[in-house]
Amino acid sequence: MHTVVVGTSGTTAEDVIAVARGNARVELSGEALDALARAREIVDALAAKPEPVYGVSTGFGALASRHISPELRAQLQRNIVRSHAAGMGPRVEREVVRALMFLRLKTVASGHTGVRPSVAQTMADVLNAGITPVVHEYGSLGCSGDLAPLSHCALALMGEGDAEGPDGTVRPAGELLAEAGITPVELREKEGLALLNGTDGMLGMLVMALADLAKLYTSADITAALTLEALLGTEKVLQPELHAIRPHPGQGASAANMAAVLKGSGLTGHFQEESAPRVQDAYSVRCAPQVAGAGRDTMAHAALVASRELAAAVDNPVVLPDGRVESNGNFHGAPVAYVLDFLAIAAADLGSIAERRTDRLLDKNRSHGLPPFLADDAGVDSGLMIAQYTQAALVSEMKRLAVPASADSIPSSAMQEDHVSMGWSAARKLRTAVDNLTRIIAIELYAATRAIELRHGLTPAPASRAAIAAAREAGVQGPGPDRFLAPDLAAADAFVRTGGLVAAVEPVTGPLA
């Protein structure tokens, strides 16, 4: 099994996905264990002094003014975890919780939190045992980090609360730890706070969304090319010299993808024929690289923000190399929240333009000779009429999900935490948006492949033929009389979601961006 080694200098997106989705094992490097020990010595020294230090010998948030006596500090750390584990609503997905736990371990291993090496090791042991704490949908304001979700994870480290075992059954966390031979942690000064104070949930969801969107943007370039072909459009708008004079990198990449898919097509080049007379293709076809490309550039910016956050140590207070323990505001989720919202906006627009292309394929007045709704016997058959309704409903939902969460803030903790990021909410709605975008692209694929097959006597591009053949093999049926459509759409969704569309095309086109 692949092993991810956690050091002091952060982690990578690939490692997050390996742990969250691939169940990779986690190990702490010797460097990380040494850094943990050094930072703990500093915290222990401060704990022995009479002067109050936030998080070490004081209360938290609006209660930070109270100095806590030594005999109550262990109870203080337990209490913050128990009281902050106040989430509600449905369970969060296993991969999100694993990403959250791993990213918290990443910060702990930096040596800036003052947590003992034994606590960090227990965090790694829980991940490796396949134990996943139950985390709920609601409870994070994104400042001070993802408090409630992280608290539910910390609670499991203490042997309390519920968790999912490696067999998928939810049971008391203490039972699962015992079966795995893991001793619950007994928290000391600073440790409870250090386990809760981070942007780990929103960051983990950002990393996974970027991985999913990268595949979807390539898939959308393919379906846009298939639609252009089905509409007898012109590929001349994809010429690289046209995109070189407006040098947005994403636009050039999307145009190159579409051109590669359309190479050798017998359906393009009919632009001025009597059967398809027009001066230009509609915007939804002609401007596909510009819209998808802008989304690609948005992803590049979001990936830059994610890489910086993956290298960060987010906690409050933090232990600095010179021995100081300083309060700070690095737990605020604004940098991550903004790009999560930005991605949702770009995804909504990509879904919107895909739906407009699908609608054009189904409208006999704009499809240049295709039957109404791509029906076998229009009037007796409705064809793909309601598949487009489903796509339109998804697009409408995408637009609602594009409303920024990060533009909101709601005060908490008796006005001590009077401005929050709402980054967790931005991440949760982005996950739904990514799911919906997958379905929208799948419906365009379904319509475009059927439309191409209805262009009798014309030969699609080799890449298009490969896409159609693979889709049919995956259970996405072709033209014919009306049938129960939901299974076809589900098959198209799975084909896109698992990367089947891209995998079918790339042996013909070469690697796509």
Side-chain angles (χ1 to χ4, degrees):
M1 182 181 290
H2 176 59
T3 297
V4 171
V5 178
V6 183
T8 60
S9 56
T11 190
T12 65
E14 293 75 17
D15 283 347
V16 174
I17 292 170
V19 173
R21 291 178 167 171
N23 298 315
R25 288 188 59 80
V26 177
E27 290 183 5
L28 292 164
S29 70
E31 174 194 29
L33 291 169
D34 290 342
L36 284 158
R38 287 194 301 272
R40 187 63 206 181
E41 289 175 1
I42 294 169
V43 169
D44 286 341
L46 289 171
K49 292 183 178 181
E51 297 84 10
V53 177
Y54 177 71
V56 176
S57 52
T58 71
F60 309 111
L63 303 175
S65 58
R66 178 178 172 182
H67 183 238
I68 307 299
S69 59
E71 66 273 12
L72 294 176
R73 290 176 190 169
Q75 180 181 341
L76 169 69
Q77 299 299 323
R78 289 194 301 272
N79 285 351
I80 189 176
V81 172
R82 289 168 175 163
S83 65
H84 286 43
M88 293 184 74
R91 283 180 58 194
V92 171
E93 304 85 356
R94 181 178 185 271
E95 66 176 22
V96 172
V97 180
R98 285 185 62 82
L100 180 153
M101 294 168 66
F102 173 68
L103 287 168
R104 195 69 223 141
L105 177 60
K106 174 268 298 183
T107 281
V108 166
S110 70
H112 290 296
T113 68
V115 167
R116 287 170 294 155
S118 60
V119 175
Q121 186 58 58
T122 301
M123 296 171 74
D125 291 343
V126 168
L127 279 167
N128 292 339
I131 297 171
T132 308
V134 171
V135 172
H136 299 279
E137 180 80 17
Y138 303 105
S140 174
L141 301 179
C143 188
S144 304
D146 295 318
L147 284 174
L150 283 163
S151 296
H152 282 276
C153 293
L155 194 69
L157 294 178
M158 294 165 47
E160 301 181 20
D162 292 327
E164 179 186 298
D167 63 354
T169 302
V170 174
R171 296 164 53 198
E175 292 181 10
L176 292 169
L177 294 185
E179 289 179 7
I182 300 171
T183 302
V185 298
E186 296 183 8
L187 299 175
R188 289 169 47 182
E189 291 94 342
K190 177 71 170 66
E191 291 178 336
L193 185 60
L195 295 177
L196 316 185
N197 237 332
T199 57
D200 308 291
M202 64 181 91
L203 176 59
M205 286 185 275
L206 171 60
V207 167
M208 289 187 285
L210 283 168
D212 294 338
L213 285 168
K215 183 167 54 184
L216 286 176
Y217 271 80
T218 304
S219 298
D221 290 339
I222 296 169
T223 59
L226 294 174
T227 297
L228 184 152
E229 199 172 23
L231 291 171
L232 306 179
T234 178
E235 79 283 11
K236 289 184 177 181
V237 295
L238 304 174
Q239 297 173 85
E241 52 267 36
L242 294 175
H243 300 278
I245 61 175
R246 194 191 191 197
H248 293 290
Q251 175 180 324
S254 283
N257 282 350
M258 290 181 66
V261 173
L262 291 170
K263 186 176 181 180
S265 174
L267 277 78
T268 60
H270 301 272
F271 208 62
Q272 300 298 333
E273 293 184 5
E274 188 174 337
S275 61
R278 77 202 93 154
V279 177
Q280 297 174 324
D281 281 318
Y283 284 8
S284 60
V285 177
R286 189 178 3 141
C287 301
Q290 284 77 9
V291 173
R296 287 176 173 273
D297 293 340
T298 300
M299 285 194 296
H301 171 61
L304 176 61
V305 172
S307 70
R308 291 169 176 163
E309 198 75 358
L310 288 167
V314 178
D315 193 14
N316 179 48
V318 293
V319 181
L320 297 175
D322 60 8
R324 285 179 293 148
V325 176
E326 298 284 5
S327 292
N328 66 90
N330 285 344
F331 49 72
H332 200 289
V336 181
Y338 293 166
V339 294
L340 287 162
D341 280 332
F342 200 174
L343 288 171
I345 292 169
D349 202 33
L350 185 63
S352 179
I353 197 171
E355 183 274 332
R356 287 293 81 205
R357 290 192 296 263
T358 303
D359 182 67
R360 184 165 289 271
L361 288 167
L362 305 189
D363 184 352
K364 69 180 182 66
N365 297 310
R366 295 180 290 142
S367 66
H368 308 288
L370 291 168
F373 303 106
L374 307 181
D376 186 65
D377 184 5
V380 174
D381 294 318
S382 295
L384 305 191
M385 179 191 294
I386 306 305
Q388 185 270 330
Y389 283 32
T390 299
Q391 193 184 41
L394 289 163
V395 169
S396 186
E397 175 72 4
M398 292 278 285
K399 293 173 182 177
R400 291 190 290 273
L401 293 167
V403 176
S406 59
D408 187 25
S409 177
I410 189 164
S412 56
S413 194
M415 293 300 285
Q416 175 70 7
E417 299 173 8
D418 59 352
H419 185 275
V420 297
S421 77
M422 302 307 295
W424 174 272
S425 298
R428 296 306 295 166
K429 69 183 182 66
L430 178 60
R431 283 182 69 85
T432 303
V434 170
D435 274 346
N436 286 352
L437 179 60
T438 307
R439 299 178 181 110
I440 290 166
I441 293 170
I443 293 173
E444 183 183 14
L445 170 72
Y446 187 51
T449 55
R450 177 184 281 216
I452 288 173
E453 290 188 311
L454 290 171
R455 293 292 188 187
H456 304 298
L458 298 174
T459 304
S464 301
R465 296 199 299 272
I468 293 169
R472 301 295 174 254
E473 189 175 339
V476 184
Q477 296 188 49
D482 279 359
R483 55 181 171 265
F484 181 21
L485 273 190
D488 276 11
L489 299 180
D493 175 50
F495 185 57
V496 172
R497 191 176 299 272
T498 59
L501 176 59
V502 177
V505 166
E506 285 190 325
V508 180
T509 62
L512 298 175

